[in-house]
Amino acid sequence: SAVISQKPSRDICQRGTSLTIQCQVDSQVTMMFWYRQQPGQSLTLIATANQGSEATYESGFVIDKFPISRPNLTFSTLTVSNMSPEDSSIYLCSVADSNTEAFFGQGTRLTVV
Amino acid sequence: AQSVTQLDSQVPVFEEAPVELRCNYSSSVSVYLFWYVQYPNQGLQLLLKYLSGSTLVKGINGFEAEFNKSQTSFHLRKPSVHISDTAEYFCAVRRNTGGFKTIFGAGTRLFVKA
């Protein structure tokens, strides 16, 4: 199994600002993902973080709003840009390899005021 | 593309009663299937997974699920629930080749009453 650390665990941000969330994994993994869980909702995949290339975004999510970096096989960041109250959610980092389930960090609870 | 439908948004049940949480999936390719649990204000925890082999899968906390390929279902069951089983349960699917992204159902809130 993989141990995933996310920072920050929570934050309260002003609208119009940006927040960068970090995800560190204790081992090299092929695939890293970012999910959003809005209050009382399920997990929605934002994008797949590809090492050495641009992230692959799901429908409804764009790079300008959610830029992602993945400089190596153990680290990724997600930035939530120009935040509005609608961005208040839990953001989760996830990793997976072939023949394994997805492992999740504890999430970043973001409140935009 | 894969998708998951959890047929019940909420399931209230009395303590020590059996429970079944229903999950159907859609996919044009072979898949892996998972059930995760999320307790209030906590992260996701894997309950069980089906990768291959026996269609009856046993997980943690006394839960089990049965993979039914013909009915494209993966229902979660427990013969006797406890108050502590109150949580949100998510069914999830991913293709077993060529991509590892996991798609989640909408979730079922299990509420165990005394």
Side-chain angles (χ1 to χ4, degrees):
Chain A
S1 65
V3 177
I4 303 169
S5 301
Q6 266 187 251
K7 292 181 182 179
S9 59
R10 59 177 63 229
D11 208 341
I12 301 173
C13 299
Q14 296 291 322
R15 67 179 67 200
T17 63
S18 298
L19 175 72
T20 294
I21 303 167
Q22 298 180 1
C23 177
Q24 178 75 53
V25 189
D26 69 340
S27 59
Q28 293 187 342
V29 291
T30 305
M31 308 297 283
M32 294 181 77
F33 306 91
W34 288 97
Y35 287 83
R36 180 175 72 183
Q37 187 176 25
Q38 295 177 300
Q41 303 294 316
S42 183
L43 282 76
T44 301
L45 182 63
I46 297 172
T48 302
N50 302 308
Q51 196 264 332
S53 64
E54 266 194 11
T56 304
Y57 290 84
E58 298 297 308
S59 176
F61 297 96
V62 295
I63 188 171
D64 289 346
K65 177 67 176 177
F66 297 102
I68 289 170
S69 78
R70 188 167 178 202
N72 57 53
L73 292 175
T74 63
F75 185 79
S76 178
T77 67
L78 169 75
T79 300
V80 186
S81 303
N82 188 24
M83 289 183 285
S84 67
E86 292 71 36
D87 294 319
S88 297
S89 293
I90 299 173
Y91 292 86
L92 297 113
C93 174
S94 172
V95 302
D97 263 309
S98 59
N99 299 323
T100 70
E101 65 272 26
F103 297 96
F104 289 86
Q106 286 300 302
T108 296
R109 187 178 295 269
L110 171 63
T111 302
V112 183
V113 297
Chain B
Q2 293 74 49
S3 66
V4 179
T5 302
Q6 291 185 243
L7 297 159
D8 307 293
S9 59
Q10 297 186 65
V11 174
V13 62
F14 285 103
E15 192 174 22
E16 298 183 7
V19 71
E20 178 180 82
L21 306 184
R22 297 180 294 167
C23 172
N24 286 95
Y25 70 93
S26 173
S27 178
S28 58
V29 298
S30 295
V31 295
Y32 295 150
L33 293 156
F34 310 92
W35 276 98
Y36 288 84
V37 60
Q38 187 175 39
Y39 298 102
N41 297 313
Q42 294 192 27
L44 283 166
Q45 181 179 6
L46 182 73
L47 271 180
L48 48 79
K49 60 186 175 184
Y50 172 78
L51 302 182
S52 64
S54 172
T55 57
L56 183 61
V57 179
K58 294 189 182 297
I60 62 172
N61 301 340
F63 284 93
E64 64 179 32
E66 185 155 19
F67 170 57
N68 188 319
K69 188 174 183 179
S70 62
Q71 297 186 6
T72 61
S73 67
F74 191 53
H75 301 333
L76 180 70
R77 303 186 184 97
K78 186 170 183 177
S80 175
V81 294
H82 304 289
I83 297 285
S84 59
D85 291 323
T86 294
E88 191 82 22
Y89 291 79
F90 295 100
C91 182
V93 64
R94 57 166 270 203
R95 53 189 299 166
N96 64 7
T97 57
F100 305 151
K101 65 180 181 182
T102 303
I103 305 302
F104 285 80
T108 297
R109 174 145 181 83
L110 176 63
F111 179 60
V112 182
K113 301 178 284 186

PDB file of all heavy atoms in Angstrom, chain A residues 69-91:
ATOM      1  N   SER A  69       0.925  20.102 -11.384  1.00  0.00           N
ATOM      2  CA  SER A  69       2.301  19.753 -11.699  1.00  0.00           C
ATOM      3  C   SER A  69       2.605  18.365 -11.188  1.00  0.00           C
ATOM      4  O   SER A  69       2.001  17.893 -10.209  1.00  0.00           O
ATOM      5  CB  SER A  69       3.276  20.759 -11.064  1.00  0.00           C
ATOM      6  OG  SER A  69       3.434  20.500  -9.680  1.00  0.00           O
ATOM      7  N   ARG A  70       3.526  17.684 -11.858  1.00  0.00           N
ATOM      8  CA  ARG A  70       4.023  16.392 -11.377  1.00  0.00           C
ATOM      9  C   ARG A  70       5.482  16.273 -11.799  1.00  0.00           C
ATOM     10  O   ARG A  70       5.788  15.646 -12.819  1.00  0.00           O
ATOM     11  CB  ARG A  70       3.198  15.244 -11.926  1.00  0.00           C
ATOM     12  CG  ARG A  70       3.637  13.965 -11.240  1.00  0.00           C
ATOM     13  CD  ARG A  70       2.740  12.809 -11.434  1.00  0.00           C
ATOM     14  NE  ARG A  70       3.335  11.658 -10.745  1.00  0.00           N
ATOM     15  CZ  ARG A  70       3.054  10.414 -11.032  1.00  0.00           C
ATOM     16  NH1 ARG A  70       2.191  10.134 -11.990  1.00  0.00           N
ATOM     17  NH2 ARG A  70       3.620   9.438 -10.366  1.00  0.00           N
ATOM     18  N   PRO A  71       6.354  16.804 -10.983  1.00  0.00           N
ATOM     19  CA  PRO A  71       7.768  16.835 -11.369  1.00  0.00           C
ATOM     20  C   PRO A  71       8.473  15.478 -11.271  1.00  0.00           C
ATOM     21  O   PRO A  71       9.503  15.286 -11.917  1.00  0.00           O
ATOM     22  CB  PRO A  71       8.374  17.826 -10.380  1.00  0.00           C
ATOM     23  CG  PRO A  71       7.462  17.782  -9.191  1.00  0.00           C
ATOM     24  CD  PRO A  71       6.094  17.543  -9.741  1.00  0.00           C
ATOM     25  N   ASN A  72       7.938  14.569 -10.462  1.00  0.00           N
ATOM     26  CA  ASN A  72       8.564  13.243 -10.336  1.00  0.00           C
ATOM     27  C   ASN A  72       7.507  12.209  -9.966  1.00  0.00           C
ATOM     28  O   ASN A  72       6.307  12.525  -9.935  1.00  0.00           O
ATOM     29  CB  ASN A  72       9.695  13.286  -9.301  1.00  0.00           C
ATOM     30  CG  ASN A  72       9.215  13.769  -7.938  1.00  0.00           C
ATOM     31  OD1 ASN A  72       8.255  13.235  -7.386  1.00  0.00           O
ATOM     32  ND2 ASN A  72       9.874  14.787  -7.398  1.00  0.00           N
ATOM     33  N   LEU A  73       7.938  10.993  -9.702  1.00  0.00           N
ATOM     34  CA  LEU A  73       6.992   9.881  -9.482  1.00  0.00           C
ATOM     35  C   LEU A  73       6.429   9.811  -8.076  1.00  0.00           C
ATOM     36  O   LEU A  73       5.672   8.893  -7.765  1.00  0.00           O
ATOM     37  CB  LEU A  73       7.679   8.554  -9.840  1.00  0.00           C
ATOM     38  CG  LEU A  73       7.985   8.350 -11.319  1.00  0.00           C
ATOM     39  CD1 LEU A  73       8.773   7.066 -11.530  1.00  0.00           C
ATOM     40  CD2 LEU A  73       6.714   8.323 -12.145  1.00  0.00           C
ATOM     41  N   THR A  74       6.812  10.757  -7.215  1.00  0.00           N
ATOM     42  CA  THR A  74       6.302  10.710  -5.839  1.00  0.00           C
ATOM     43  C   THR A  74       5.616  11.997  -5.406  1.00  0.00           C
ATOM     44  O   THR A  74       5.184  12.117  -4.259  1.00  0.00           O
ATOM     45  CB  THR A  74       7.449  10.423  -4.844  1.00  0.00           C
ATOM     46  OG1 THR A  74       8.386  11.509  -4.896  1.00  0.00           O
ATOM     47  CG2 THR A  74       8.145   9.111  -5.168  1.00  0.00           C
ATOM     48  N   PHE A  75       5.495  12.984  -6.272  1.00  0.00           N
ATOM     49  CA  PHE A  75       5.013  14.289  -5.846  1.00  0.00           C
ATOM     50  C   PHE A  75       4.148  14.932  -6.917  1.00  0.00           C
ATOM     51  O   PHE A  75       4.419  14.827  -8.119  1.00  0.00           O
ATOM     52  CB  PHE A  75       6.205  15.192  -5.518  1.00  0.00           C
ATOM     53  CG  PHE A  75       5.827  16.528  -4.941  1.00  0.00           C
ATOM     54  CD1 PHE A  75       5.484  16.647  -3.597  1.00  0.00           C
ATOM     55  CD2 PHE A  75       5.834  17.668  -5.725  1.00  0.00           C
ATOM     56  CE1 PHE A  75       5.148  17.874  -3.047  1.00  0.00           C
ATOM     57  CE2 PHE A  75       5.497  18.907  -5.187  1.00  0.00           C
ATOM     58  CZ  PHE A  75       5.157  18.999  -3.849  1.00  0.00           C
ATOM     59  N   SER A  76       3.099  15.630  -6.456  1.00  0.00           N
ATOM     60  CA  SER A  76       2.248  16.384  -7.367  1.00  0.00           C
ATOM     61  C   SER A  76       1.643  17.558  -6.612  1.00  0.00           C
ATOM     62  O   SER A  76       1.522  17.524  -5.378  1.00  0.00           O
ATOM     63  CB  SER A  76       1.136  15.497  -7.929  1.00  0.00           C
ATOM     64  OG  SER A  76       0.268  16.230  -8.784  1.00  0.00           O
ATOM     65  N   THR A  77       1.283  18.596  -7.346  1.00  0.00           N
ATOM     66  CA  THR A  77       0.538  19.705  -6.763  1.00  0.00           C
ATOM     67  C   THR A  77      -0.687  20.012  -7.610  1.00  0.00           C
ATOM     68  O   THR A  77      -0.679  19.818  -8.830  1.00  0.00           O
ATOM     69  CB  THR A  77       1.385  20.989  -6.655  1.00  0.00           C
ATOM     70  OG1 THR A  77       1.691  21.472  -7.964  1.00  0.00           O
ATOM     71  CG2 THR A  77       2.665  20.751  -5.875  1.00  0.00           C
ATOM     72  N   LEU A  78      -1.719  20.467  -6.924  1.00  0.00           N
ATOM     73  CA  LEU A  78      -2.945  20.965  -7.558  1.00  0.00           C
ATOM     74  C   LEU A  78      -3.143  22.388  -7.069  1.00  0.00           C
ATOM     75  O   LEU A  78      -3.128  22.630  -5.861  1.00  0.00           O
ATOM     76  CB  LEU A  78      -4.142  20.109  -7.173  1.00  0.00           C
ATOM     77  CG  LEU A  78      -5.517  20.667  -7.552  1.00  0.00           C
ATOM     78  CD1 LEU A  78      -5.767  20.513  -9.039  1.00  0.00           C
ATOM     79  CD2 LEU A  78      -6.629  19.975  -6.751  1.00  0.00           C
ATOM     80  N   THR A  79      -3.335  23.308  -7.984  1.00  0.00           N
ATOM     81  CA  THR A  79      -3.655  24.683  -7.624  1.00  0.00           C
ATOM     82  C   THR A  79      -5.109  24.959  -7.966  1.00  0.00           C
ATOM     83  O   THR A  79      -5.559  24.635  -9.068  1.00  0.00           O
ATOM     84  CB  THR A  79      -2.730  25.670  -8.353  1.00  0.00           C
ATOM     85  OG1 THR A  79      -1.370  25.410  -7.984  1.00  0.00           O
ATOM     86  CG2 THR A  79      -3.083  27.104  -7.998  1.00  0.00           C
ATOM     87  N   VAL A  80      -5.813  25.532  -7.016  1.00  0.00           N
ATOM     88  CA  VAL A  80      -7.173  26.000  -7.266  1.00  0.00           C
ATOM     89  C   VAL A  80      -7.062  27.506  -7.447  1.00  0.00           C
ATOM     90  O   VAL A  80      -6.700  28.228  -6.502  1.00  0.00           O
ATOM     91  CB  VAL A  80      -8.120  25.643  -6.110  1.00  0.00           C
ATOM     92  CG1 VAL A  80      -9.561  26.012  -6.476  1.00  0.00           C
ATOM     93  CG2 VAL A  80      -8.031  24.158  -5.769  1.00  0.00           C
ATOM     94  N   SER A  81      -7.338  27.977  -8.650  1.00  0.00           N
ATOM     95  CA  SER A  81      -7.063  29.367  -9.008  1.00  0.00           C
ATOM     96  C   SER A  81      -8.312  30.231  -8.941  1.00  0.00           C
ATOM     97  O   SER A  81      -9.434  29.747  -9.149  1.00  0.00           O
ATOM     98  CB  SER A  81      -6.494  29.431 -10.438  1.00  0.00           C
ATOM     99  OG  SER A  81      -5.345  28.642 -10.561  1.00  0.00           O
ATOM    100  N   ASN A  82      -8.086  31.495  -8.648  1.00  0.00           N
ATOM    101  CA  ASN A  82      -9.168  32.478  -8.672  1.00  0.00           C
ATOM    102  C   ASN A  82     -10.420  31.905  -8.000  1.00  0.00           C
ATOM    103  O   ASN A  82     -11.486  31.781  -8.609  1.00  0.00           O
ATOM    104  CB  ASN A  82      -9.475  32.891 -10.114  1.00  0.00           C
ATOM    105  CG  ASN A  82     -10.457  34.045 -10.195  1.00  0.00           C
ATOM    106  OD1 ASN A  82     -10.595  34.832  -9.253  1.00  0.00           O
ATOM    107  ND2 ASN A  82     -11.173  34.139 -11.302  1.00  0.00           N
ATOM    108  N   MET A  83     -10.268  31.570  -6.738  1.00  0.00           N
ATOM    109  CA  MET A  83     -11.297  30.813  -6.037  1.00  0.00           C
ATOM    110  C   MET A  83     -12.589  31.591  -5.812  1.00  0.00           C
ATOM    111  O   MET A  83     -12.583  32.816  -5.608  1.00  0.00           O
ATOM    112  CB  MET A  83     -10.742  30.321  -4.705  1.00  0.00           C
ATOM    113  CG  MET A  83      -9.711  29.205  -4.869  1.00  0.00           C
ATOM    114  SD  MET A  83      -9.128  28.570  -3.309  1.00  0.00           S
ATOM    115  CE  MET A  83      -8.045  29.895  -2.786  1.00  0.00           C
ATOM    116  N   SER A  84     -13.672  30.853  -5.824  1.00  0.00           N
ATOM    117  CA  SER A  84     -14.988  31.362  -5.467  1.00  0.00           C
ATOM    118  C   SER A  84     -15.580  30.430  -4.420  1.00  0.00           C
ATOM    119  O   SER A  84     -15.084  29.307  -4.240  1.00  0.00           O
ATOM    120  CB  SER A  84     -15.893  31.429  -6.697  1.00  0.00           C
ATOM    121  OG  SER A  84     -16.176  30.127  -7.153  1.00  0.00           O
ATOM    122  N   PRO A  85     -16.642  30.856  -3.740  1.00  0.00           N
ATOM    123  CA  PRO A  85     -17.252  29.968  -2.728  1.00  0.00           C
ATOM    124  C   PRO A  85     -17.642  28.604  -3.288  1.00  0.00           C
ATOM    125  O   PRO A  85     -17.645  27.618  -2.538  1.00  0.00           O
ATOM    126  CB  PRO A  85     -18.476  30.762  -2.278  1.00  0.00           C
ATOM    127  CG  PRO A  85     -18.071  32.189  -2.447  1.00  0.00           C
ATOM    128  CD  PRO A  85     -17.222  32.198  -3.696  1.00  0.00           C
ATOM    129  N   GLU A  86     -17.940  28.520  -4.577  1.00  0.00           N
ATOM    130  CA  GLU A  86     -18.316  27.238  -5.187  1.00  0.00           C
ATOM    131  C   GLU A  86     -17.154  26.244  -5.210  1.00  0.00           C
ATOM    132  O   GLU A  86     -17.367  25.042  -5.434  1.00  0.00           O
ATOM    133  CB  GLU A  86     -18.821  27.447  -6.608  1.00  0.00           C
ATOM    134  CG  GLU A  86     -20.153  28.184  -6.714  1.00  0.00           C
ATOM    135  CD  GLU A  86     -20.046  29.651  -6.373  1.00  0.00           C
ATOM    136  OE1 GLU A  86     -19.003  30.280  -6.706  1.00  0.00           O
ATOM    137  OE2 GLU A  86     -20.982  30.194  -5.741  1.00  0.00           O
ATOM    138  N   ASP A  87     -15.960  26.729  -4.996  1.00  0.00           N
ATOM    139  CA  ASP A  87     -14.788  25.842  -4.950  1.00  0.00           C
ATOM    140  C   ASP A  87     -14.590  25.212  -3.578  1.00  0.00           C
ATOM    141  O   ASP A  87     -13.683  24.387  -3.403  1.00  0.00           O
ATOM    142  CB  ASP A  87     -13.524  26.613  -5.343  1.00  0.00           C
ATOM    143  CG  ASP A  87     -13.542  27.071  -6.789  1.00  0.00           C
ATOM    144  OD1 ASP A  87     -13.984  26.288  -7.649  1.00  0.00           O
ATOM    145  OD2 ASP A  87     -13.131  28.218  -7.065  1.00  0.00           O
ATOM    146  N   SER A  88     -15.406  25.591  -2.625  1.00  0.00           N
ATOM    147  CA  SER A  88     -15.310  24.993  -1.293  1.00  0.00           C
ATOM    148  C   SER A  88     -15.613  23.505  -1.384  1.00  0.00           C
ATOM    149  O   SER A  88     -16.716  23.103  -1.763  1.00  0.00           O
ATOM    150  CB  SER A  88     -16.295  25.668  -0.334  1.00  0.00           C
ATOM    151  OG  SER A  88     -15.976  27.033  -0.170  1.00  0.00           O
ATOM    152  N   SER A  89     -14.638  22.693  -1.075  1.00  0.00           N
ATOM    153  CA  SER A  89     -14.730  21.240  -1.247  1.00  0.00           C
ATOM    154  C   SER A  89     -13.590  20.588  -0.485  1.00  0.00           C
ATOM    155  O   SER A  89     -12.714  21.275   0.051  1.00  0.00           O
ATOM    156  CB  SER A  89     -14.571  20.837  -2.721  1.00  0.00           C
ATOM    157  OG  SER A  89     -15.634  21.263  -3.510  1.00  0.00           O
ATOM    158  N   ILE A  90     -13.612  19.274  -0.509  1.00  0.00           N
ATOM    159  CA  ILE A  90     -12.442  18.516  -0.102  1.00  0.00           C
ATOM    160  C   ILE A  90     -11.732  18.084  -1.378  1.00  0.00           C
ATOM    161  O   ILE A  90     -12.361  17.548  -2.296  1.00  0.00           O
ATOM    162  CB  ILE A  90     -12.813  17.284   0.735  1.00  0.00           C
ATOM    163  CG1 ILE A  90     -13.536  17.716   2.013  1.00  0.00           C
ATOM    164  CG2 ILE A  90     -11.570  16.463   1.071  1.00  0.00           C
ATOM    165  CD1 ILE A  90     -14.094  16.561   2.816  1.00  0.00           C
ATOM    166  N   TYR A  91     -10.438  18.334  -1.432  1.00  0.00           N
ATOM    167  CA  TYR A  91      -9.642  17.935  -2.592  1.00  0.00           C
ATOM    168  C   TYR A  91      -8.748  16.774  -2.160  1.00  0.00           C
ATOM    169  O   TYR A  91      -8.048  16.861  -1.152  1.00  0.00           O
ATOM    170  CB  TYR A  91      -8.823  19.114  -3.113  1.00  0.00           C
ATOM    171  CG  TYR A  91      -9.703  20.175  -3.714  1.00  0.00           C
ATOM    172  CD1 TYR A  91     -10.281  21.165  -2.920  1.00  0.00           C
ATOM    173  CD2 TYR A  91     -10.012  20.162  -5.068  1.00  0.00           C
ATOM    174  CE1 TYR A  91     -11.134  22.121  -3.460  1.00  0.00           C
ATOM    175  CE2 TYR A  91     -10.853  21.115  -5.618  1.00  0.00           C
ATOM    176  CZ  TYR A  91     -11.413  22.084  -4.806  1.00  0.00           C
ATOM    177  OH  TYR A  91     -12.255  23.020  -5.351  1.00  0.00           O
TER     178      TYR A  91
END
